[in-house]
Amino acid sequence: MQTAADAEDAATLLAAVPAGRRVALVDPRFVGHVHALRLGLTDPRFAAATVPGALTAQPEARGALLRALRRTTAAVGAGAPVVAPDTDPAPDDRTVPGRIAVTLEAEGTAVKRPELGSLTATVPTDAGARATAESARDEVDDEAVRLRSAVKAHDGFFTTFAISPYSRYIARWCARRGLTPNQVTTASLITALVAAGAAATGTRGGYVAAGILLLVSFVLDCTDGQLARYSLQYSTMGAWLDATFDRAKEYAYYAGLAIGAVRGGDDVWVLALGAMVLQACRHVVDFSFNEANHDAVANTSPTAALSDKLDSVGWTVWARRMIVLPIGERWAMIAVLTALTTPRIVFYALLIGCALAACYTTAGRLLRSLTRRASRTDRAARALADLADSGPLAQGVAAVAPGLRGAFTAPAVALLGTLVMIGGALFLPYGSWLTVAAAAVYVVLSGLAVARPLKGALDWLVPPFFRAAEYVTILVLAARSDSPHAVPAAFGLVSAVAYHHYDTVYRIRGGTGAPPQWLVRTIGGHEGRTALVAVLAAVLTHAAGFTTALTALAVAVALVVLVESIRFWVSSSAPAVHDEGELA
């Protein structure tokens, strides 16, 4: 830290700092909490940020900062102190840092102004104001505020009242010992995998240990985000790990339960895969609806207005958060039932609970969409097209087919294709080439559904319909086959494909767009994979070859998707994605 004699000296000192470092400019009269400065000056997610009396710039904003400082120097005089005259009507802009922040924003550089709440950050201009500021600062416990703000603002009932009251202190303990959020995230994954291994033993002791370890894993899962917020250790890698590990932990645990059940003489692989399919489809409904309304300028839906009114009543907020069975409630239910009952009961409870939650949330979103009076943007339509995951077959149909008109045409056609595909897999004789014909119809209808931009009120339903068609078809054909271990192989295939779809979602959320088209073409798109599985079922009817084929397909998809995903998320172009308000 260096002290500048005047504005010109400050510019000279800042210019001498190595180009790759963050710099900060703080008014010498600043009075406030240390955490206020921490929020304003150390958050790595923003190129520039400010609190009253202080301003910071990351390397990418250093040039703009220096230009703004030199203009401020010219305005107030080269020999003026690093405090501008108290003439600006906006109190936060009376200092040089405040003036520079305004200049940066005027010239197109975004400047983050974090919410300080009860924290003090001010630049007093006389002794009386300084005494008042110091008194306000001393009345508020900086550390208590920091601990409270480490907890996610909108969490589920179980997480808020059963985990966060103590996990925040674990987060502080980790911060004081130099542990990083990524290390805690990795510990959570390892703990969940050990829990899955314990469940796979198929013994009562193993189930009890699995339930306890799953809860420990969830505590660590909460702790990593709280540690990131407590110590402001946000990172692109951490965002990716947090986004993907939750799904990996849950689905690995499903597999562990299924293995344990088989060891106990009860084959529940179909239920395990069904639970994963239902949970993944629930997520894509959430993702698709949110992306369709991502850039809505106003919420004109009466249903949304009713929802806001319900949120104003305390008990309804928690009831509604519990109804959707978020990750905290879901994992608590899984852990308790694992320890006390059997894997079959665990999966029955999951299927019933998630089905009811899906009906509740989807019904609400349908009502919002039908009563909303805003049109879809090009950005929303592009996101929905990316989430659809159409491969070369559907894209070929869309290229030659005329776009179908009508407000609800796209979701109706997608639903028809989904019903044809799932119906063929369920009711036609297993191994029949009629199922392949149904897949061909599905390919054509999939292409027709995306032939026009997805800007209709219910077009956000198209990606969920496609996910249901693909996942359920794989599940049904594997379950109906006589090939041994086909369902576990199908579990692996759906896991690999679902990872690709989650990866797509988080890339879109980060503003970098969907995975490259070569990746989608290489793994066939949803319609190509679905048709391929139907062909494999017809060709490999009475042999273990169907299991081998599903396993090989799962491995191939996983390798391609994982290599490209890891390449992207460790690159400099990867975004930082944080689910601050989502219940997962």
Side-chain angles (χ1 to χ4, degrees):
M1 184 172 67
Q2 300 186 60
T3 302
D6 51 42
E8 186 176 27
D9 187 29
T12 302
L13 290 174
L14 289 175
V17 177
R21 294 185 183 177
R22 174 202 291 268
V23 295
L25 194 63
V26 182
D27 191 288
R29 301 175 300 174
F30 176 86
V31 173
H33 289 96
V34 173
H35 193 53
L37 280 179
R38 188 182 291 114
L39 289 171
L41 303 183
T42 65
D43 195 322
R45 295 173 296 175
F46 310 108
T50 186
V51 293
L55 172 71
T56 186
Q58 298 268 40
E60 59 267 31
R62 287 268 305 272
L65 170 63
L66 279 174
R67 290 192 297 272
L69 178 56
R70 290 189 175 108
R71 276 189 289 276
T72 301
T73 301
V76 302
V82 194
V83 180
D86 190 5
T87 56
D88 196 301
D92 291 353
D93 301 336
R94 293 171 179 171
T95 64
V96 166
R99 289 177 179 271
I100 294 173
V102 172
T103 302
L104 286 172
E105 290 174 319
E107 296 184 355
T109 299
V111 180
K112 175 67 176 178
R113 299 174 185 268
E115 293 291 335
L116 299 181
S118 59
L119 295 175
T120 297
T122 187
V123 178
T125 56
D126 55 47
R130 171 170 287 275
T132 301
E134 290 175 345
S135 175
R137 178 195 61 194
D138 295 341
E139 288 175 359
V140 175
D141 185 344
D142 178 282
E143 182 62 18
V145 172
R146 189 180 181 190
L147 275 172
R148 285 197 304 271
S149 61
V151 178
K152 187 187 293 186
H154 304 288
D155 238 330
F157 181 87
F158 178 77
T159 304
T160 299
F161 294 104
I163 304 297
S164 293
Y166 60 87
S167 61
R168 69 184 74 182
Y169 294 100
I170 300 175
R172 181 172 67 180
W173 183 89
C174 293
R176 291 177 174 176
R177 283 153 183 80
L179 297 176
T180 68
N182 291 355
Q183 291 170 333
V184 178
T185 302
T186 303
S188 176
L189 174 66
I190 293 171
T191 305
L193 294 179
V194 173
T201 63
T203 64
R204 177 52 51 196
Y207 290 148
V208 171
I212 294 172
L213 287 170
L214 188 64
L215 288 177
V216 172
S217 174
F218 183 65
V219 171
L220 293 174
D221 183 55
C222 296
T223 300
D224 63 0
Q226 291 167 358
L227 174 58
R229 288 182 285 273
Y230 180 85
S231 57
L232 299 178
Q233 295 184 74
Y234 300 104
S235 69
T236 296
M237 177 63 73
W240 175 60
L241 293 177
D242 190 51
T244 55
F245 279 10
D246 279 352
R247 307 288 81 80
K249 288 181 286 190
E250 186 167 2
Y251 299 154
Y253 192 82
Y254 292 176
L257 279 176
I259 293 171
V262 169
R263 288 187 170 181
D266 187 15
D267 191 342
V268 296
W269 271 108
V270 170
L271 296 178
L273 181 50
M276 182 170 72
V277 167
L278 179 55
Q279 188 59 27
C281 288
R282 277 188 66 198
H283 282 144
V284 80
V285 167
D286 296 342
F287 297 145
S288 189
F289 177 81
N290 290 337
E291 288 304 322
N293 296 281
H294 177 271
D295 45 8
V297 293
N299 195 338
T300 57
S301 166
T303 308
L306 175 61
S307 177
D308 292 340
K309 288 183 180 179
L310 290 175
D311 280 344
S312 66
V313 182
W315 70 269
T316 64
V317 175
W318 297 115
R320 294 171 70 212
R321 290 186 188 178
M322 293 174 70
I323 287 172
V324 300
L325 204 64
I327 188 170
E329 277 74 2
R330 194 166 67 248
W331 282 28
M333 180 184 74
I334 293 171
V336 171
L337 290 178
T338 298
L340 300 180
T341 63
T342 66
R344 181 172 290 272
I345 293 176
V346 173
F347 287 124
Y348 280 152
L350 264 175
L351 288 167
I352 293 170
C354 289
L356 292 174
C359 290
Y360 171 78
T361 55
T362 305
R365 284 163 182 172
L366 285 170
L367 288 173
R368 289 186 185 217
S369 300
L370 290 172
T371 56
R372 184 172 176 265
R373 294 187 294 273
S375 59
R376 296 278 180 262
T377 63
D378 291 337
R379 188 249 182 229
R382 180 67 260 168
L384 291 180
D386 291 335
L387 289 174
D389 192 33
S390 299
L393 297 178
Q395 290 176 0
V397 172
V400 299
L404 297 174
R405 297 184 179 277
F408 308 122
T409 302
V413 172
L415 175 60
L416 178 60
T418 298
L419 294 176
V420 167
M421 188 66 254
I422 295 177
L426 270 173
F427 301 115
L428 291 174
Y430 178 78
S432 169
W433 284 94
L434 290 176
T435 307
V436 179
V441 173
Y442 174 66
V443 168
V444 173
L445 292 175
S446 298
L448 293 176
V450 296
R452 290 177 63 84
L454 298 176
K455 291 188 175 183
L458 297 179
D459 284 0
W460 58 269
L461 287 169
V462 171
F465 285 150
F466 289 163
R467 294 298 81 73
E470 180 180 5
Y471 297 166
V472 175
T473 297
I474 295 172
L475 166 61
V476 169
L477 291 178
R480 294 186 66 194
S481 75
D482 294 328
S483 186
H485 310 302
V487 180
F491 190 98
L493 176 57
V494 172
S495 298
V497 174
Y499 177 85
H500 164 61
H501 292 143
Y502 285 118
D503 185 50
T504 300
V505 166
Y506 286 106
R507 293 196 197 203
I508 293 173
R509 282 185 174 183
T512 57
Q517 272 299 302
W518 71 260
L519 175 65
V520 177
R521 288 193 296 268
T522 299
I523 60 176
H526 70 92
E527 80 291 348
R529 292 186 297 269
T530 305
L532 177 58
V533 172
V535 170
L536 292 174
V539 172
L540 305 170
T541 7
H542 302 296
F546 187 52
T547 298
T548 304
L550 287 180
T551 303
L553 182 58
V555 171
V557 171
L559 283 176
V560 174
V561 167
L562 283 172
V563 168
E564 161 56 21
S565 177
I566 293 171
R567 181 211 62 79
F568 171 77
W569 286 101
V570 301
S571 70
S572 58
S573 60
V577 182
H578 301 276
D579 293 334
E580 289 300 309
E582 302 204 7
L583 303 179

